[in-house]
Amino acid sequence: MIKSKFPTRDVRKFYSFYQRVCNQKSSFDFIFSDIVRTKRQLVHIHIEDKKLESLKVVKFEEPSEYRVKDSWLKKFKSTLPDSIDIVSGATLSSKSTKFLVWLSLYLQGDILK
């Protein structure tokens, strides 16, 4: 599924996840490191009840003008990643972030199988 949706991405080596179980409910924290253009961004994603609860760019090594705004990141709490437009001027970082959110939702569903 990942290769058919994102054929150029290699997902084997750039994430860690932590699962928490409380009152028979699972939540997941994903830490992703992804190359945006030539440098990395580090993203933390928290998934609860199969929905994104928080999304934070922890470290961004590209020039700051290529970083996505917090207002754009907030859209992921109420909208699926495929429905969110890419940010002009921050195209590569928004594509990277969208992919990482999609991947965390996909992996969380795969982990619970």
Side-chain angles (χ1 to χ4, degrees):
M1 171 71 171
I2 296 171
K3 279 294 185 191
S4 65
K5 187 165 180 68
F6 299 98
T8 62
R9 301 305 294 245
D10 182 6
V11 298
R12 291 176 291 156
K13 57 186 175 190
F14 66 91
Y15 75 92
S16 297
F17 79 92
Y18 306 91
Q19 180 179 13
R20 293 184 268 180
V21 179
C22 182
N23 295 329
Q24 298 180 345
K25 282 189 168 187
S26 289
S27 66
F28 296 87
D29 287 288
F30 291 90
I31 310 296
F32 292 101
S33 176
D34 193 26
I35 294 176
V36 175
R37 186 175 58 162
T38 58
K39 298 183 180 177
R40 296 193 173 275
Q41 75 168 340
L42 187 67
V43 177
H44 171 253
I45 300 171
H46 179 73
I47 305 288
E48 199 171 301
D49 293 329
K50 299 181 183 179
K51 294 189 312 190
L52 185 133
E53 285 297 317
S54 68
L55 168 61
K56 181 169 175 104
V57 177
V58 179
K59 185 174 184 180
F60 191 77
E61 296 175 346
E62 295 284 356
S64 60
E65 60 266 20
Y66 299 135
R67 184 179 177 140
V68 295
K69 305 278 188 243
D70 288 339
S71 58
W72 184 79
L73 294 173
K74 289 178 183 175
K75 293 178 182 181
F76 287 94
K77 284 191 78 168
S78 59
T79 309
L80 292 172
D82 290 339
S83 303
I84 296 176
D85 292 332
I86 297 298
V87 178
S88 178
T91 305
L92 297 176
S93 53
S94 57
K95 282 183 178 181
S96 169
T97 304
K98 244 178 106 160
F99 169 70
L100 297 176
V101 169
W102 180 88
L103 183 61
S104 65
L105 291 166
Y106 175 82
L107 291 172
Q108 177 262 309
D110 200 44
I111 293 164
L112 290 177
K113 286 183 184 175

